[in-house]
DNA sequence: GAAAGAACTGAACACCTGTTCAGGAAAAAA
DNA sequence: TTTTTTCCTGAACAGGTGTTCAGTTCTTTC
């Protein structure tokens, strides 16, 4: 007797898996990574605690996949924004401000994905997540350098530094709350974008123009 | 009958306290914050686990004080380096590269103090630690702005971003190992210092000069 | 030197969550 | 409908570490 999964079952299994991941994401967005605990996530996803383990070998795997998922979304958004820009410099500006906006609009999630203490080891996943974004930004810097808009430099290092600057300034413990006031939010995004562009060597007059150009298209500044 | 602590006893108590803190610091420097566990620290300090609690109400207090101590040392070093510089811009350069060198030469400790997951809540202490350094750097940026060397800007935000950039680039998970080769270490410190100075608006030609000026005096680049 | 107070010891405790697994429900084959 | 395989449940388990505390040792006072 050979048991075969019916189409309907396959669909239900996939739905459950997504539900669990979604529950984890919601929990993280609301309460940070510390809120991503098996029992509560199971309740939210409307399954029993044990069921979670039929879909994810361990909590570490669940969180790793959550990180990967969020990371994928972010990378896609950054690529989209950069590709839509007219030239290499504004592509870089767009990439940076997109990261800034994303991070700002989903603070708890961003902090959880990036740096919040977790009781299981998700280092590998976090590294991968960073590597993707850093790689993307580095390649945009590279393009600008090749176009002669920026001085030659260690683009990997620069991209890493930029990311660190954005994170610390926007979601680090010293970041002031700017979500309440959209104008303040826009100012902050502009300020850090300007810092970032200058850091890699964009000259000032030009930088200001690029920043405005890059930030303005981000229509709803709090859109995911 | 009133018990009075003899001078000798007072001294021994103080010594024990320092020994425990020192043991914690050693543990953190070797294995990161996760290695700062009561039992091992007690062994290292040559006391029983329970004794630790006669000096520190909880593990959180112990770690908080450790963070404060390291932070004090760092702040002092930064002030010393900056005060010795000839002008506001080179003071800023000196401050930044001092942070960079410190962080690089005590990676595990720095990572532990700054961002490593800990099982107890040391947020307050970490925030205080950051605030001190950020405040110092911000005031140096301020001075340079007042001297007309830099454009006006949100110096607090800028300083926060600079710190984030240094940390992520030098001790973040993507930081490549540079401690082995002193030349590579110096290059890295120069590169991030240059990025930082440019970010706040130092013009390029000038920046290069400042960087060299600031980094070179750091004689033994791996000195604590 | 004896009594009283303080400091120290380290084994036992407590707590918190991730993980397991025996029993039951549902779905697929016969 | 019966049998077999898979899936789900949720209470019990496990492991690791911060914390406590009764008993012991050392210090001070008289």
């Amino acid at each position: 007797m050979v048991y075969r999964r019916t189409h309907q079952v396959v669909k239900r299994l996939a739905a459950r898996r997504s539900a669990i991941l979604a529950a984890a994401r919601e929990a993280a967005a609301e309460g940070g990574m510390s809120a991503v605990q098996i029992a509560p996530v199971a309740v939210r996803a409307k399954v029993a605690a044990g069921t979670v383990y039929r879909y994810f070998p361990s909590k570490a795997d669940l969180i790793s996949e959550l990180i990967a998922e969020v990371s994928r979304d972010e990378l896609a958004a950054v690529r989209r924004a950069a590709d839509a820009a007219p030239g290499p410099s504004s592509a870089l500006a767009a990439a940076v401000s997109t990261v800034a906006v994303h991070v700002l609009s989903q603070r708890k999630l961003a902090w959880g994905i990036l740096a919040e203490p977790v009781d299981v080891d998700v280092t590998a996943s976090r590294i991968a997540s960073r590597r993707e974004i850093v790689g993307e930004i580095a390649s945009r810097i590279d393009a600008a350098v090749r176009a002669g808009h920026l001085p030659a430099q260690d683009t990997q290092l620069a991209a890493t530094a930029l990311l660190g600057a954005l994170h610390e300034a926007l979601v680090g413990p010293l970041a002031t709350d700017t979500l309440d006031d959209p104008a303040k939010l826009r100012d902050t995004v502009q300020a850090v974008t300007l810092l970032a562009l200058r850091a890699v060597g964009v000259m000032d007059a030009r930088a200001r123009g690029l920043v405005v150009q890059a930030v303005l298209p981000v229509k709803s500044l709090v859109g995911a």
Side-chain angles (χ1 to χ4, degrees), chain A:
Chain A
M1 194 197 293
V2 198
Y3 179 94
R4 288 255 170 269
R5 280 176 180 166
T6 238
H7 199 60
Q8 192 183 1
V9 172
V10 170
K11 249 175 58 185
R12 194 196 60 204
L13 293 183
R16 280 240 157 115
R17 197 188 151 84
S18 311
I20 294 171
L21 259 178
R25 188 166 181 162
E26 285 170 28
E30 286 173 18
M33 279 301 175
S34 60
V36 184
Q37 294 174 358
I38 300 297
V41 165
V43 169
R44 208 188 274 258
K46 291 183 180 138
V47 297
T51 303
V52 174
Y53 286 85
R54 296 192 60 80
Y55 293 88
F56 300 92
S58 73
K59 184 183 170 181
D61 293 87
L62 171 59
I63 294 190
S64 292
E65 195 145 337
L66 169 60
I67 292 177
E69 191 189 72
V70 174
S71 188
R72 255 196 312 275
D73 293 352
E74 169 126 352
L75 185 61
V78 170
R79 284 216 172 110
R80 224 179 303 125
D83 286 340
S89 287
S90 48
L92 175 58
V96 168
S97 49
T98 301
V99 171
V101 169
H102 268 231
V103 156
L104 265 184
S105 50
Q106 299 245 35
R107 274 196 148 135
K108 283 210 171 151
L109 188 56
W111 161 248
I113 299 286
L114 288 167
E116 185 183 345
V118 190
D119 54 359
V120 294
D121 186 30
V122 292
T123 317
S125 181
R126 276 184 170 157
I127 291 179
S129 163
R130 274 178 166 79
R131 223 186 272 286
E132 284 176 2
I133 294 284
V134 164
E136 179 65 24
I137 293 183
S139 77
R140 301 293 175 177
I141 300 177
D142 249 337
V145 170
R146 279 199 308 274
H149 297 179
L150 299 181
Q153 56 193 294
D154 181 339
T155 54
Q156 203 70 23
L157 184 72
T160 307
L162 291 203
L163 206 63
L166 294 189
H167 291 162
E168 185 74 30
L170 301 179
V171 295
L174 293 189
T176 49
D177 282 326
T178 53
L179 266 187
D180 330 332
D181 181 2
K184 169 91 177 156
L185 191 152
R186 203 182 51 237
D187 287 351
T188 307
V189 172
Q190 286 190 358
V192 296
T193 305
L194 180 57
L195 280 167
L197 292 182
R198 275 205 210 121
V200 293
V202 175
M203 286 298 114
D204 202 60
R206 188 122 189 265
R208 294 195 175 280
L210 288 176
V211 168
V212 173
Q213 210 178 79
V215 173
L216 283 189
V218 183
K219 285 288 173 18
S220 88
L221 274 173
V222 287

